[in-house]
Every structure is written in structure tokens, then in C-alpha cells.
Amino acid sequence: QVQLVESGGGSVQAGGSLRLSCVVSGYSSSRGSMAWFRQAPGKERAGISCISPFQNTNYADSVKGRFTISVDNAKNTLYLQMNSLKPEDTAMYYCAAASTIWCGLDPSGYNFWGQGTQVTVSS
């Protein structure tokens, strides 16, 4: 059974940083791509970043240059380093895993999801 558990969310002032973690069990990061998504109240879930088993990465324009995705295969953990946070980054953040190597930002491409961790950025 695949399980993804996010942590690291919290409240921070604009300009601050947070690092999200997603511990994965029952799934190997070498099997498929992994990604981070976020969903703000009243909005659709949106892709932020993905990383393939070959370490190829993809970022949404809104976070390029500010967020960095990485994976520690030894720890079965996916990370999202978030710097220069803005109030518009406030959302529930989810990690996801795919059964393919496709690295995209469409939620439909991912089979497994965590429960989410809340990030709140105040101005």
C-alpha cells in the first residue's frame, strides 16, 4: 500500500522560507515521477513542481526561481524548499506520486496522494 505523508507546513511572513517534506512508503521514487501540488480555497488544485526518476524537474511559472524540488531516495522522502514566500502562496500543499516517468503538472497524471499540509503566508 502506497502512503505519502507531508509535513513542514506552517505560518510564515512574506519573504520567509519553509521546507516541505513528504515521506513515501510502499513506493520507490525510481518507479515514477513525484510532484507537489497546491490548492487554495475556491481554486482548483494546481501543479507546482515535479521530478522524474532521472532528476528532470519542471516548475510552474509562479514559483520558478523561488521553489526547489528534490528527492532523497535513501530516505524515501520528497522535499520542496520554498523561499521568498508570498501571500499568494497560501494554500494546502500536497505531494503526489505517479506510476510512470512522465513529469508533468496535471493532477490527472498522478495515482497516489498525501493528505496535505497547510502553508499560510502573511503580508
Side-chain angles (χ1 to χ4, degrees), residues 29-76:
S29 58
S30 63
R31 168 183 172 185
S33 293
M34 299 189 68
W36 287 97
F37 290 79
R38 66 186 180 189
Q39 188 167 17
K43 294 188 177 181
E44 294 185 351
R45 191 168 296 189
I48 302 170
S49 181
C50 62
I51 185 166
S52 77
F54 310 106
Q55 302 296 301
N56 297 319
T57 59
N58 190 13
Y59 293 92
D61 289 342
S62 59
V63 305
K64 279 181 181 177
R66 299 189 299 124
F67 291 10
T68 303
I69 192 170
S70 62
V71 61
D72 185 330
N73 292 319
K75 296 182 178 180
N76 290 327

mmCIF file of all heavy atoms in Angstrom, residues 29-76:
data_model
loop_
_atom_site.group_PDB
_atom_site.id
_atom_site.type_symbol
_atom_site.label_atom_id
_atom_site.label_comp_id
_atom_site.label_asym_id
_atom_site.label_seq_id
_atom_site.Cartn_x
_atom_site.Cartn_y
_atom_site.Cartn_z
ATOM 1 N N SER A 29 10.856 5.906 -5.562
ATOM 2 C CA SER A 29 10.975 7.095 -6.411
ATOM 3 C C SER A 29 11.617 6.776 -7.747
ATOM 4 O O SER A 29 11.563 7.579 -8.675
ATOM 5 C CB SER A 29 11.767 8.191 -5.695
ATOM 6 O OG SER A 29 13.035 7.706 -5.341
ATOM 7 N N SER A 30 12.215 5.590 -7.846
ATOM 8 C CA SER A 30 12.803 5.199 -9.127
ATOM 9 C C SER A 30 11.740 4.613 -10.056
ATOM 10 O O SER A 30 11.992 4.347 -11.224
ATOM 11 C CB SER A 30 13.915 4.171 -8.909
ATOM 12 O OG SER A 30 13.393 2.986 -8.330
ATOM 13 N N ARG A 31 10.562 4.445 -9.512
ATOM 14 C CA ARG A 31 9.469 3.838 -10.265
ATOM 15 C C ARG A 31 8.751 4.855 -11.130
ATOM 16 O O ARG A 31 8.299 4.551 -12.226
ATOM 17 C CB ARG A 31 8.495 3.215 -9.258
ATOM 18 C CG ARG A 31 7.161 2.795 -9.814
ATOM 19 C CD ARG A 31 6.297 2.278 -8.672
ATOM 20 N NE ARG A 31 4.927 2.021 -9.089
ATOM 21 C CZ ARG A 31 3.955 1.658 -8.261
ATOM 22 N NH1 ARG A 31 4.226 1.490 -6.979
ATOM 23 N NH2 ARG A 31 2.745 1.453 -8.694
ATOM 24 N N GLY A 32 8.626 6.066 -10.600
ATOM 25 C CA GLY A 32 7.887 7.068 -11.341
ATOM 26 C C GLY A 32 8.190 8.458 -10.845
ATOM 27 O O GLY A 32 8.971 8.650 -9.907
ATOM 28 N N SER A 33 7.566 9.429 -11.460
ATOM 29 C CA SER A 33 7.783 10.819 -11.087
ATOM 30 C C SER A 33 6.993 11.172 -9.837
ATOM 31 O O SER A 33 6.000 10.537 -9.509
ATOM 32 C CB SER A 33 7.374 11.746 -12.231
ATOM 33 O OG SER A 33 8.236 11.586 -13.334
ATOM 34 N N MET A 34 7.460 12.208 -9.164
ATOM 35 C CA MET A 34 6.776 12.716 -7.990
ATOM 36 C C MET A 34 6.606 14.219 -8.136
ATOM 37 O O MET A 34 7.350 14.869 -8.870
ATOM 38 C CB MET A 34 7.556 12.375 -6.719
ATOM 39 C CG MET A 34 7.713 10.880 -6.499
ATOM 40 S SD MET A 34 8.383 10.490 -4.888
ATOM 41 C CE MET A 34 7.040 10.992 -3.838
ATOM 42 N N ALA A 35 5.639 14.756 -7.428
ATOM 43 C CA ALA A 35 5.313 16.169 -7.639
ATOM 44 C C ALA A 35 4.694 16.790 -6.401
ATOM 45 O O ALA A 35 4.262 16.099 -5.482
ATOM 46 C CB ALA A 35 4.340 16.300 -8.812
ATOM 47 N N TRP A 36 4.675 18.109 -6.417
ATOM 48 C CA TRP A 36 3.973 18.900 -5.418
ATOM 49 C C TRP A 36 2.862 19.679 -6.105
ATOM 50 O O TRP A 36 3.071 20.252 -7.191
ATOM 51 C CB TRP A 36 4.921 19.873 -4.732
ATOM 52 C CG TRP A 36 5.873 19.230 -3.784
ATOM 53 C CD1 TRP A 36 7.169 18.870 -4.029
ATOM 54 C CD2 TRP A 36 5.610 18.864 -2.426
ATOM 55 N NE1 TRP A 36 7.723 18.305 -2.908
ATOM 56 C CE2 TRP A 36 6.787 18.292 -1.912
ATOM 57 C CE3 TRP A 36 4.489 18.971 -1.588
ATOM 58 C CZ2 TRP A 36 6.888 17.823 -0.594
ATOM 59 C CZ3 TRP A 36 4.592 18.510 -0.276
ATOM 60 C CH2 TRP A 36 5.775 17.946 0.196
ATOM 61 N N PHE A 37 1.727 19.710 -5.454
ATOM 62 C CA PHE A 37 0.580 20.487 -5.913
ATOM 63 C C PHE A 37 0.112 21.365 -4.762
ATOM 64 O O PHE A 37 0.467 21.138 -3.610
ATOM 65 C CB PHE A 37 -0.571 19.559 -6.329
ATOM 66 C CG PHE A 37 -0.305 18.779 -7.583
ATOM 67 C CD1 PHE A 37 0.490 17.647 -7.560
ATOM 68 C CD2 PHE A 37 -0.844 19.185 -8.791
ATOM 69 C CE1 PHE A 37 0.740 16.932 -8.724
ATOM 70 C CE2 PHE A 37 -0.596 18.482 -9.957
ATOM 71 C CZ PHE A 37 0.200 17.352 -9.918
ATOM 72 N N ARG A 38 -0.710 22.348 -5.089
ATOM 73 C CA ARG A 38 -1.315 23.144 -4.034
ATOM 74 C C ARG A 38 -2.728 23.535 -4.435
ATOM 75 O O ARG A 38 -3.068 23.588 -5.610
ATOM 76 C CB ARG A 38 -0.493 24.398 -3.734
ATOM 77 C CG ARG A 38 -0.422 25.432 -4.855
ATOM 78 C CD ARG A 38 0.542 26.544 -4.464
ATOM 79 N NE ARG A 38 0.661 27.563 -5.501
ATOM 80 C CZ ARG A 38 1.559 28.541 -5.480
ATOM 81 N NH1 ARG A 38 2.423 28.635 -4.461
ATOM 82 N NH2 ARG A 38 1.583 29.440 -6.445
ATOM 83 N N GLN A 39 -3.530 23.774 -3.413
ATOM 84 C CA GLN A 39 -4.915 24.157 -3.644
ATOM 85 C C GLN A 39 -5.324 25.213 -2.639
ATOM 86 O O GLN A 39 -5.308 24.963 -1.426
ATOM 87 C CB GLN A 39 -5.842 22.950 -3.551
ATOM 88 C CG GLN A 39 -7.267 23.242 -3.959
ATOM 89 C CD GLN A 39 -8.078 21.971 -4.147
ATOM 90 O OE1 GLN A 39 -7.703 20.888 -3.679
ATOM 91 N NE2 GLN A 39 -9.187 22.080 -4.858
ATOM 92 N N ALA A 40 -5.662 26.380 -3.151
ATOM 93 C CA ALA A 40 -6.145 27.467 -2.316
ATOM 94 C C ALA A 40 -7.671 27.384 -2.240
ATOM 95 O O ALA A 40 -8.309 26.819 -3.138
ATOM 96 C CB ALA A 40 -5.713 28.811 -2.894
ATOM 97 N N PRO A 41 -8.278 27.935 -1.204
ATOM 98 C CA PRO A 41 -9.737 27.894 -1.076
ATOM 99 C C PRO A 41 -10.430 28.465 -2.308
ATOM 100 O O PRO A 41 -10.072 29.543 -2.793
ATOM 101 C CB PRO A 41 -10.007 28.757 0.154
ATOM 102 C CG PRO A 41 -8.771 28.645 0.966
ATOM 103 C CD PRO A 41 -7.654 28.573 -0.032
ATOM 104 N N GLY A 42 -11.376 27.716 -2.850
ATOM 105 C CA GLY A 42 -12.131 28.171 -4.003
ATOM 106 C C GLY A 42 -11.420 28.027 -5.335
ATOM 107 O O GLY A 42 -11.943 28.456 -6.366
ATOM 108 N N LYS A 43 -10.235 27.434 -5.307
ATOM 109 C CA LYS A 43 -9.474 27.271 -6.551
ATOM 110 C C LYS A 43 -9.202 25.797 -6.808
ATOM 111 O O LYS A 43 -9.262 24.969 -5.924
ATOM 112 C CB LYS A 43 -8.157 28.046 -6.466
ATOM 113 C CG LYS A 43 -8.343 29.558 -6.393
ATOM 114 C CD LYS A 43 -7.013 30.272 -6.497
ATOM 115 C CE LYS A 43 -7.194 31.787 -6.508
ATOM 116 N NZ LYS A 43 -5.897 32.497 -6.643
ATOM 117 N N GLU A 44 -8.873 25.499 -8.063
ATOM 118 C CA GLU A 44 -8.531 24.142 -8.429
ATOM 119 C C GLU A 44 -7.123 23.785 -7.957
ATOM 120 O O GLU A 44 -6.274 24.662 -7.758
ATOM 121 C CB GLU A 44 -8.623 23.964 -9.948
ATOM 122 C CG GLU A 44 -10.034 24.093 -10.498
ATOM 123 C CD GLU A 44 -10.097 23.795 -11.978
ATOM 124 O OE1 GLU A 44 -9.033 23.655 -12.599
ATOM 125 O OE2 GLU A 44 -11.217 23.702 -12.516
ATOM 126 N N ARG A 45 -6.897 22.485 -7.785
ATOM 127 C CA ARG A 45 -5.563 22.018 -7.439
ATOM 128 C C ARG A 45 -4.617 22.302 -8.609
ATOM 129 O O ARG A 45 -4.925 21.976 -9.758
ATOM 130 C CB ARG A 45 -5.596 20.533 -7.121
ATOM 131 C CG ARG A 45 -4.320 20.008 -6.492
ATOM 132 C CD ARG A 45 -4.524 18.616 -5.935
ATOM 133 N NE ARG A 45 -5.499 18.607 -4.834
ATOM 134 C CZ ARG A 45 -5.725 17.556 -4.061
ATOM 135 N NH1 ARG A 45 -5.050 16.425 -4.258
ATOM 136 N NH2 ARG A 45 -6.629 17.613 -3.104
ATOM 137 N N ALA A 46 -3.464 22.882 -8.304
ATOM 138 C CA ALA A 46 -2.515 23.291 -9.347
ATOM 139 C C ALA A 46 -1.142 22.686 -9.101
ATOM 140 O O ALA A 46 -0.676 22.619 -7.956
ATOM 141 C CB ALA A 46 -2.405 24.809 -9.381
ATOM 142 N N GLY A 47 -0.506 22.271 -10.177
ATOM 143 C CA GLY A 47 0.833 21.708 -10.072
ATOM 144 C C GLY A 47 1.877 22.787 -9.831
ATOM 145 O O GLY A 47 1.809 23.865 -10.431
ATOM 146 N N ILE A 48 2.818 22.496 -8.957
ATOM 147 C CA ILE A 48 3.898 23.431 -8.644
ATOM 148 C C ILE A 48 5.199 22.966 -9.257
ATOM 149 O O ILE A 48 5.892 23.719 -9.915
ATOM 150 C CB ILE A 48 4.092 23.549 -7.124
ATOM 151 C CG1 ILE A 48 2.822 23.992 -6.427
ATOM 152 C CG2 ILE A 48 5.243 24.503 -6.816
ATOM 153 C CD1 ILE A 48 2.933 23.889 -4.923
ATOM 154 N N SER A 49 5.511 21.692 -9.009
ATOM 155 C CA SER A 49 6.788 21.177 -9.468
ATOM 156 C C SER A 49 6.741 19.661 -9.493
ATOM 157 O O SER A 49 6.018 19.042 -8.725
ATOM 158 C CB SER A 49 7.915 21.644 -8.541
ATOM 159 O OG SER A 49 9.158 21.164 -9.002
ATOM 160 N N CYS A 50 7.531 19.077 -10.393
ATOM 161 C CA CYS A 50 7.662 17.623 -10.446
ATOM 162 C C CYS A 50 9.122 17.258 -10.668
ATOM 163 O O CYS A 50 9.925 18.082 -11.127
ATOM 164 C CB CYS A 50 6.788 17.026 -11.535
ATOM 165 S SG CYS A 50 7.199 17.555 -13.198
ATOM 166 N N ILE A 51 9.446 16.006 -10.340
ATOM 167 C CA ILE A 51 10.794 15.493 -10.538
ATOM 168 C C ILE A 51 10.683 14.061 -11.019
ATOM 169 O O ILE A 51 9.914 13.268 -10.472
ATOM 170 C CB ILE A 51 11.628 15.616 -9.244
ATOM 171 C CG1 ILE A 51 13.070 15.203 -9.482
ATOM 172 C CG2 ILE A 51 11.005 14.834 -8.093
ATOM 173 C CD1 ILE A 51 14.016 15.621 -8.346
ATOM 174 N N SER A 52 11.424 13.748 -12.063
ATOM 175 C CA SER A 52 11.375 12.410 -12.638
ATOM 176 C C SER A 52 12.430 11.519 -11.981
ATOM 177 O O SER A 52 13.322 12.005 -11.277
ATOM 178 C CB SER A 52 11.627 12.481 -14.138
ATOM 179 O OG SER A 52 13.015 12.661 -14.398
ATOM 180 N N PRO A 53 12.371 10.209 -12.236
ATOM 181 C CA PRO A 53 13.403 9.313 -11.703
ATOM 182 C C PRO A 53 14.802 9.654 -12.224
ATOM 183 O O PRO A 53 15.795 9.240 -11.625
ATOM 184 C CB PRO A 53 12.957 7.935 -12.193
ATOM 185 C CG PRO A 53 11.496 8.061 -12.388
ATOM 186 C CD PRO A 53 11.286 9.462 -12.873
ATOM 187 N N PHE A 54 14.867 10.404 -13.319
ATOM 188 C CA PHE A 54 16.153 10.813 -13.896
ATOM 189 C C PHE A 54 16.568 12.201 -13.422
ATOM 190 O O PHE A 54 17.499 12.790 -13.958
ATOM 191 C CB PHE A 54 16.063 10.779 -15.418
ATOM 192 C CG PHE A 54 15.518 9.489 -15.952
ATOM 193 C CD1 PHE A 54 14.237 9.421 -16.459
ATOM 194 C CD2 PHE A 54 16.278 8.338 -15.908
ATOM 195 C CE1 PHE A 54 13.715 8.227 -16.940
ATOM 196 C CE2 PHE A 54 15.779 7.132 -16.381
ATOM 197 C CZ PHE A 54 14.495 7.072 -16.891
ATOM 198 N N GLN A 55 15.839 12.707 -12.415
ATOM 199 C CA GLN A 55 16.138 14.014 -11.812
ATOM 200 C C GLN A 55 15.812 15.180 -12.724
ATOM 201 O O GLN A 55 16.264 16.304 -12.492
ATOM 202 C CB GLN A 55 17.601 14.104 -11.365
ATOM 203 C CG GLN A 55 17.998 13.032 -10.354
ATOM 204 C CD GLN A 55 17.245 13.144 -9.047
ATOM 205 O OE1 GLN A 55 17.282 14.154 -8.351
ATOM 206 N NE2 GLN A 55 16.513 12.087 -8.683
ATOM 207 N N ASN A 56 15.019 14.940 -13.765
ATOM 208 C CA ASN A 56 14.498 16.063 -14.543
ATOM 209 C C ASN A 56 13.423 16.751 -13.719
ATOM 210 O O ASN A 56 12.623 16.100 -13.042
ATOM 211 C CB ASN A 56 13.902 15.567 -15.859
ATOM 212 C CG ASN A 56 14.931 14.917 -16.758
ATOM 213 O OD1 ASN A 56 16.051 15.409 -16.879
ATOM 214 N ND2 ASN A 56 14.577 13.804 -17.375
ATOM 215 N N THR A 57 13.412 18.073 -13.779
ATOM 216 C CA THR A 57 12.442 18.831 -12.987
ATOM 217 C C THR A 57 11.626 19.767 -13.870
ATOM 218 O O THR A 57 12.040 20.137 -14.967
ATOM 219 C CB THR A 57 13.129 19.640 -11.888
ATOM 220 O OG1 THR A 57 14.070 20.537 -12.479
ATOM 221 C CG2 THR A 57 13.841 18.736 -10.899
ATOM 222 N N ASN A 58 10.489 20.148 -13.331
ATOM 223 C CA ASN A 58 9.597 21.055 -14.040
ATOM 224 C C ASN A 58 8.934 21.932 -12.981
ATOM 225 O O ASN A 58 8.572 21.445 -11.898
ATOM 226 C CB ASN A 58 8.546 20.250 -14.808
ATOM 227 C CG ASN A 58 7.737 21.093 -15.766
ATOM 228 O OD1 ASN A 58 8.093 22.234 -16.056
ATOM 229 N ND2 ASN A 58 6.644 20.538 -16.261
ATOM 230 N N TYR A 59 8.789 23.218 -13.270
ATOM 231 C CA TYR A 59 8.213 24.151 -12.311
ATOM 232 C C TYR A 59 7.129 24.996 -12.967
ATOM 233 O O TYR A 59 7.242 25.377 -14.136
ATOM 234 C CB TYR A 59 9.276 25.102 -11.750
ATOM 235 C CG TYR A 59 10.324 24.430 -10.892
ATOM 236 C CD1 TYR A 59 11.511 23.957 -11.442
ATOM 237 C CD2 TYR A 59 10.118 24.283 -9.520
ATOM 238 C CE1 TYR A 59 12.463 23.341 -10.649
ATOM 239 C CE2 TYR A 59 11.074 23.678 -8.722
ATOM 240 C CZ TYR A 59 12.243 23.208 -9.295
ATOM 241 O OH TYR A 59 13.196 22.600 -8.502
ATOM 242 N N ALA A 60 6.122 25.330 -12.190
ATOM 243 C CA ALA A 60 5.140 26.313 -12.643
ATOM 244 C C ALA A 60 5.814 27.685 -12.681
ATOM 245 O O ALA A 60 6.702 27.974 -11.871
ATOM 246 C CB ALA A 60 3.958 26.333 -11.684
ATOM 247 N N ASP A 61 5.385 28.517 -13.597
ATOM 248 C CA ASP A 61 5.986 29.843 -13.736
ATOM 249 C C ASP A 61 5.897 30.646 -12.436
ATOM 250 O O ASP A 61 6.789 31.435 -12.123
ATOM 251 C CB ASP A 61 5.308 30.617 -14.864
ATOM 252 C CG ASP A 61 5.651 30.073 -16.240
ATOM 253 O OD1 ASP A 61 6.654 29.339 -16.358
ATOM 254 O OD2 ASP A 61 4.908 30.383 -17.193
ATOM 255 N N SER A 62 4.836 30.438 -11.703
ATOM 256 C CA SER A 62 4.602 31.226 -10.493
ATOM 257 C C SER A 62 5.623 30.959 -9.382
ATOM 258 O O SER A 62 5.750 31.756 -8.454
ATOM 259 C CB SER A 62 3.198 30.960 -9.958
ATOM 260 O OG SER A 62 3.036 29.589 -9.666
ATOM 261 N N VAL A 63 6.357 29.841 -9.481
ATOM 262 C CA VAL A 63 7.303 29.502 -8.416
ATOM 263 C C VAL A 63 8.737 29.373 -8.905
ATOM 264 O O VAL A 63 9.646 29.141 -8.102
ATOM 265 C CB VAL A 63 6.887 28.198 -7.686
ATOM 266 C CG1 VAL A 63 5.471 28.311 -7.158
ATOM 267 C CG2 VAL A 63 7.053 26.997 -8.595
ATOM 268 N N LYS A 64 8.955 29.516 -10.186
ATOM 269 C CA LYS A 64 10.314 29.397 -10.730
ATOM 270 C C LYS A 64 11.245 30.398 -10.070
ATOM 271 O O LYS A 64 10.912 31.568 -9.924
ATOM 272 C CB LYS A 64 10.297 29.622 -12.245
ATOM 273 C CG LYS A 64 9.872 28.417 -13.044
ATOM 274 C CD LYS A 64 9.911 28.719 -14.550
ATOM 275 C CE LYS A 64 9.455 27.516 -15.346
ATOM 276 N NZ LYS A 64 9.407 27.807 -16.809
ATOM 277 N N GLY A 65 12.420 29.903 -9.693
ATOM 278 C CA GLY A 65 13.397 30.768 -9.065
ATOM 279 C C GLY A 65 13.207 30.921 -7.563
ATOM 280 O O GLY A 65 14.083 31.457 -6.885
ATOM 281 N N ARG A 66 12.074 30.459 -7.048
ATOM 282 C CA ARG A 66 11.792 30.576 -5.603
ATOM 283 C C ARG A 66 11.698 29.214 -4.923
ATOM 284 O O ARG A 66 12.091 29.073 -3.759
ATOM 285 C CB ARG A 66 10.485 31.337 -5.369
ATOM 286 C CG ARG A 66 10.491 32.755 -5.907
ATOM 287 C CD ARG A 66 9.247 33.526 -5.443
ATOM 288 N NE ARG A 66 8.013 32.924 -5.913
ATOM 289 C CZ ARG A 66 7.014 32.547 -5.104
ATOM 290 N NH1 ARG A 66 7.126 32.702 -3.787
ATOM 291 N NH2 ARG A 66 5.913 32.030 -5.618
ATOM 292 N N PHE A 67 11.160 28.230 -5.611
ATOM 293 C CA PHE A 67 10.958 26.892 -5.050
ATOM 294 C C PHE A 67 11.930 25.911 -5.698
ATOM 295 O O PHE A 67 12.254 26.037 -6.890
ATOM 296 C CB PHE A 67 9.537 26.411 -5.301
ATOM 297 C CG PHE A 67 8.451 27.146 -4.544
ATOM 298 C CD1 PHE A 67 8.716 28.314 -3.835
ATOM 299 C CD2 PHE A 67 7.156 26.657 -4.549
ATOM 300 C CE1 PHE A 67 7.713 28.985 -3.148
ATOM 301 C CE2 PHE A 67 6.144 27.306 -3.868
ATOM 302 C CZ PHE A 67 6.429 28.471 -3.171
ATOM 303 N N THR A 68 12.350 24.916 -4.920
ATOM 304 C CA THR A 68 13.229 23.862 -5.427
ATOM 305 C C THR A 68 12.725 22.505 -4.952
ATOM 306 O O THR A 68 12.538 22.302 -3.748
ATOM 307 C CB THR A 68 14.669 24.064 -4.946
ATOM 308 O OG1 THR A 68 15.138 25.358 -5.350
ATOM 309 C CG2 THR A 68 15.581 22.997 -5.537
ATOM 310 N N ILE A 69 12.527 21.608 -5.906
ATOM 311 C CA ILE A 69 12.091 20.247 -5.588
ATOM 312 C C ILE A 69 13.313 19.330 -5.562
ATOM 313 O O ILE A 69 14.266 19.514 -6.325
ATOM 314 C CB ILE A 69 11.053 19.742 -6.618
ATOM 315 C CG1 ILE A 69 10.387 18.458 -6.136
ATOM 316 C CG2 ILE A 69 11.677 19.575 -7.994
ATOM 317 C CD1 ILE A 69 9.191 18.037 -6.999
ATOM 318 N N SER A 70 13.291 18.366 -4.661
ATOM 319 C CA SER A 70 14.378 17.393 -4.594
ATOM 320 C C SER A 70 13.848 16.114 -3.973
ATOM 321 O O SER A 70 12.775 16.098 -3.364
ATOM 322 C CB SER A 70 15.559 17.935 -3.782
ATOM 323 O OG SER A 70 15.176 18.184 -2.446
ATOM 324 N N VAL A 71 14.609 15.035 -4.127
ATOM 325 C CA VAL A 71 14.217 13.753 -3.562
ATOM 326 C C VAL A 71 15.447 13.077 -2.980
ATOM 327 O O VAL A 71 16.531 13.137 -3.564
ATOM 328 C CB VAL A 71 13.525 12.862 -4.620
ATOM 329 C CG1 VAL A 71 14.444 12.555 -5.772
ATOM 330 C CG2 VAL A 71 12.978 11.596 -3.984
ATOM 331 N N ASP A 72 15.277 12.488 -1.815
ATOM 332 C CA ASP A 72 16.326 11.694 -1.173
ATOM 333 C C ASP A 72 15.873 10.243 -1.247
ATOM 334 O O ASP A 72 15.000 9.815 -0.483
ATOM 335 C CB ASP A 72 16.514 12.142 0.277
ATOM 336 C CG ASP A 72 17.672 11.437 0.955
ATOM 337 O OD1 ASP A 72 17.977 10.282 0.602
ATOM 338 O OD2 ASP A 72 18.264 12.044 1.870
ATOM 339 N N ASN A 73 16.436 9.509 -2.185
ATOM 340 C CA ASN A 73 15.981 8.133 -2.398
ATOM 341 C C ASN A 73 16.281 7.250 -1.184
ATOM 342 O O ASN A 73 15.510 6.340 -0.879
ATOM 343 C CB ASN A 73 16.641 7.560 -3.644
ATOM 344 C CG ASN A 73 16.160 8.235 -4.910
ATOM 345 O OD1 ASN A 73 14.976 8.524 -5.056
ATOM 346 N ND2 ASN A 73 17.068 8.492 -5.834
ATOM 347 N N ALA A 74 17.381 7.513 -0.513
ATOM 348 C CA ALA A 74 17.748 6.704 0.653
ATOM 349 C C ALA A 74 16.728 6.859 1.780
ATOM 350 O O ALA A 74 16.491 5.923 2.545
ATOM 351 C CB ALA A 74 19.138 7.088 1.140
ATOM 352 N N LYS A 75 16.126 8.030 1.864
ATOM 353 C CA LYS A 75 15.138 8.301 2.912
ATOM 354 C C LYS A 75 13.712 8.191 2.405
ATOM 355 O O LYS A 75 12.763 8.420 3.161
ATOM 356 C CB LYS A 75 15.366 9.688 3.499
ATOM 357 C CG LYS A 75 16.695 9.845 4.225
ATOM 358 C CD LYS A 75 16.822 11.239 4.828
ATOM 359 C CE LYS A 75 18.118 11.395 5.589
ATOM 360 N NZ LYS A 75 18.267 12.742 6.188
ATOM 361 N N ASN A 76 13.553 7.884 1.137
ATOM 362 C CA ASN A 76 12.215 7.832 0.531
ATOM 363 C C ASN A 76 11.420 9.096 0.834
ATOM 364 O O ASN A 76 10.242 9.054 1.229
ATOM 365 C CB ASN A 76 11.448 6.610 1.036
ATOM 366 C CG ASN A 76 12.019 5.314 0.506
ATOM 367 O OD1 ASN A 76 12.518 5.257 -0.611
ATOM 368 N ND2 ASN A 76 11.958 4.271 1.306
#
